[in-house]
Amino acid sequence: MMSIQERLKELNIELEPVGEPKFSYVPVNQVGNLLYTSGHDCRKNGELILKGKLGAELTIEQGQEAARRCIVNILSSLQAHLGSLDRVKKVVKMLGFIQSAPGFKDQPYVLNGASDLLIEVFGEKGKHTRSAIGTSELPFDTPVEVEIIVEIELSR
């Protein structure tokens, strides 16, 4: 069976080193065998890959790209916390916030970018429950912010 690291390489996904948060939170909080992530945005090399509102400045496809990048950043945080993403037993829940222009109602399509990537990476273990929430503003004008809950194997 292929390791998650091998799977990421196959998908041409490189995880970035995780720095210290600039604000008062932790990127990952562990409670027993569950990991709760903070909201992650679509930064690459410290810069947002996209800015703006879905349905105004950005298309659904651009929103999906931003959502995928949020997951890459979450995977980086999980890897830093766990040492190996192979310890992920199940992606349990996703919560996605989509910065939306008035009248934009396609948030679930945008969040599919994040959901689809989790399934590409983890297979059946990547299938999860989720909520896609439209909001008028997000920090730093990021179009998408995503957080997840993951069940892990405690010993490996």
Side-chain angles (χ1 to χ4, degrees):
M1 188 166 156
M2 183 182 296
S3 74
I4 298 301
Q5 197 62 41
E6 291 168 330
R7 181 68 181 138
L8 291 172
K9 189 173 184 175
E10 185 178 87
L11 294 169
N12 292 319
I13 295 172
E14 289 186 41
L15 301 182
E16 292 184 6
V18 177
E20 289 296 314
K22 295 177 181 151
F23 304 101
S24 302
Y25 71 96
V26 293
V28 178
N29 198 5
Q30 184 169 345
V31 179
N33 67 337
L34 294 177
L35 300 181
Y36 295 79
T37 71
S38 292
H40 285 63
D41 61 23
C42 63
R43 290 177 197 273
K44 184 174 184 175
N45 300 318
E47 299 291 326
L48 291 172
I49 62 168
L50 291 162
K51 289 184 177 186
K53 294 185 181 198
L54 277 292
E57 298 92 359
L58 301 174
T59 66
I60 290 173
E61 293 76 21
Q62 288 172 308
Q64 290 170 338
E65 178 186 353
R68 285 180 68 88
R69 187 66 211 179
C70 293
I71 292 302
V72 171
N73 294 338
I74 287 173
L75 293 177
S76 295
S77 291
L78 291 174
Q79 170 108 358
H81 182 83
L82 292 170
S84 171
L85 291 173
D86 291 321
R87 289 184 55 199
V88 171
K89 192 172 179 181
K90 177 79 178 147
V91 179
V92 178
K93 169 84 173 163
M94 176 189 296
L95 176 58
F97 299 94
I98 294 86
Q99 183 172 232
S100 303
F104 184 78
K105 296 176 180 66
D106 291 328
Q107 292 84 2
Y109 294 108
V110 171
L111 202 54
N112 276 349
S115 292
D116 292 347
L117 182 56
L118 285 171
I119 295 165
E120 286 177 55
V121 170
F122 293 108
E124 284 295 311
K125 297 188 299 185
K127 292 184 178 178
H128 52 275
T129 61
R130 75 172 199 195
S131 298
I133 308 297
T135 184
S136 61
E137 303 290 335
L138 283 172
F140 312 109
D141 204 23
T142 187
V144 181
E145 183 174 330
V146 177
E147 60 183 61
I148 66 173
I149 301 169
V150 176
E151 180 186 16
I152 62 165
E153 295 178 23
L154 288 177
S155 59
R156 203 158 162 80

